[in-house]
Amino acid sequence: MSKNKNILKHLAIIMDGNGRWAKERGHVRTKGHEKGAEVTREITHYCAEHPTIETVTFYAFSTENWKRPKYEVNFLMKLLDSWLKNELETYHKFGAKFETVGNIEGFSPKLQETIAYIKKETAHHTNVTQILALNYGSREEIAKAASRLAQRNEPITEESLGNELNTPYNDIDMMIRTSGEVRLSNFLLWQLSYSELFFTETLWPDFTIEELEEIIDQYVNRDRRFGGI
Ligand code: FPP
C-alpha cells in the first residue's frame, strides 16, 4: 500500500435510482428527479467547501435518455430550466462555477439561453466547478473530437485527442454510481481511464454527505498505481 494519500480533485457521479426511489414511496417517477436535484445541490455545496475538490461532474441527462416517455423527458427539461434559474443564488452562495458537457444544441432555445446565462453569471467563481453532463454520450464526444482533428489534418494522439474533447477537465480521480447498477453507461469513458470506481446500492435521492465522506475515505487510502507496480 502506498504511503502517500490520494488527493481528490475531480469527482464524477452517475446519479441513478430516482425512479425506483419514487416508486418505493408510491410517487410518480418525476418526484424522484425533484428530490435527486436537491441532493445534487447538497453534494455541490460539500464539494465547494472541500479543501481539494476542484470539479464535480454529474450525469444529468444522457443521449439515451430521450428514449424515456415524453412526459418524463419534458419534465426533466422543465426541471432543469427552473432548477438552474433558482440555483443561481446558490451558485453565488457556494462560489460555484457552472459548466456543461454534451450537446446542449439539442435542447430548446429557451433552455439553451438559461444554460448560457447561468454559465456567464457564475464564470468568476472558484470554490468548485460543477459540470452537468447534458445530452451527453462519451462515444459521440470521442468520435466528434477525432473527426475535428482529422478535418484539420492534425495528428491523432492521446494528447491531441484528450485536448480536443469537449470537457477540458480530462482526468477524473473518482467516480461514484448510485443505485446498485455496475456499469458506465457511456459516461466520460476517456476521462475515467484511471479513475477509482465506487458503486453503492443507495438510490440517488437517499445519497448523503456522510456516505460521500465514507467513500472519499476509501479513495484516499486506495493504492493508485496507474499501471505501475
Ligand atoms: C437516473 O434515475 C437519473 C436521471 C436520468 C437523471 C438525473 C436527474 C436528476 C438528478 C434530476 C435533475 C437534475 C438536475 C441537476 C436538475 P432514473 O430515472 O434512471 O432512476 P431508475 O433507474 O430508478 O429508474
Side-chain angles (χ1 to χ4, degrees):
M1 171 80 65
S2 151
K3 284 196 190 111
N4 294 328
K5 303 264 187 202
N6 299 315
I7 294 176
L8 178 59
K9 287 190 182 170
H10 190 167
L11 163 68
I13 303 183
I14 300 180
M15 313 179 278
D16 200 2
N18 295 345
R20 278 163 283 169
W21 181 90
K23 201 172 162 209
E24 276 175 11
R25 284 159 181 78
H27 298 316
V28 283
R29 292 175 51 81
T30 47
K31 195 92 190 144
H33 296 314
E34 274 174 5
K35 179 71 172 65
E38 286 172 26
V39 177
T40 311
R41 175 186 304 123
E42 285 162 23
I43 300 300
T44 302
H45 189 192
Y46 174 84
C47 293
E49 292 187 343
H50 190 278
T52 65
I53 298 175
E54 295 169 357
T55 312
V56 56
T57 300
F58 296 97
Y59 208 0
F61 194 84
S62 78
T63 45
E64 285 73 35
N65 286 153
W66 294 109
K67 293 181 204 148
R68 295 188 172 210
K70 206 164 178 235
Y71 82 89
E72 185 170 339
V73 171
N74 287 343
F75 178 89
L76 280 168
M77 295 300 128
K78 275 202 195 120
L79 175 67
L80 189 58
D81 194 71
S82 62
W83 189 78
L84 281 174
K85 283 176 183 151
N86 283 329
E87 213 56 13
L88 184 56
E89 205 184 312
T90 321
Y91 286 122
H92 288 324
K93 205 161 107 198
F94 299 168
K97 174 176 165 178
F98 168 68
E99 279 285 349
T100 61
V101 60
N103 282 326
I104 52 170
E105 306 80 43
F107 292 152
S108 71
K110 182 172 166 269
L111 181 52
Q112 288 187 50
E113 222 174 87
T114 305
I115 289 170
Y117 175 70
I118 306 295
K119 279 186 188 173
K120 181 167 74 67
E121 291 294 311
T122 62
H124 60 289
H125 288 313
T126 55
N127 284 349
V128 74
T129 299
Q130 180 206 65
I131 305 178
L132 293 190
L134 295 172
N135 197 16
Y136 176 80
S138 187
R139 288 181 173 185
E140 184 183 86
E141 183 193 23
I142 295 169
K144 283 191 170 164
S147 157
R148 285 194 298 272
L149 287 174
Q151 268 171 9
R152 301 201 301 263
N153 261 329
E154 288 176 26
I156 299 177
T157 64
E158 282 192 26
E159 200 190 351
S160 66
L161 188 51
N163 290 335
E164 190 64 27
L165 294 175
N166 296 328
T167 165
Y169 313 93
N170 276 338
D171 287 325
I172 292 171
D173 300 302
M174 165 172 140
M175 195 283 301
I176 302 170
R177 182 173 189 147
T178 58
S179 92
E181 307 293 350
V182 187
R183 54 177 172 266
L184 293 177
S185 302
N186 205 13
F187 184 51
L188 300 167
L189 303 178
W190 179 282
Q191 298 87 340
L192 287 172
S193 293
Y194 285 102
S195 284
E196 297 296 321
L197 307 179
F198 293 85
F199 297 90
T200 168
E201 296 286 325
T202 307
L203 304 174
W204 179 247
D206 286 330
F207 192 71
T208 58
I209 286 168
E210 290 69 33
E211 184 167 4
L212 175 59
E213 284 184 322
E214 279 167 28
I215 297 174
I216 293 177
D217 275 350
Q218 290 177 49
Y219 163 82
V220 164
N221 292 303
R222 269 200 192 174
D223 192 12
R224 298 188 82 191
R225 293 194 297 276
F226 298 94
I229 52 172

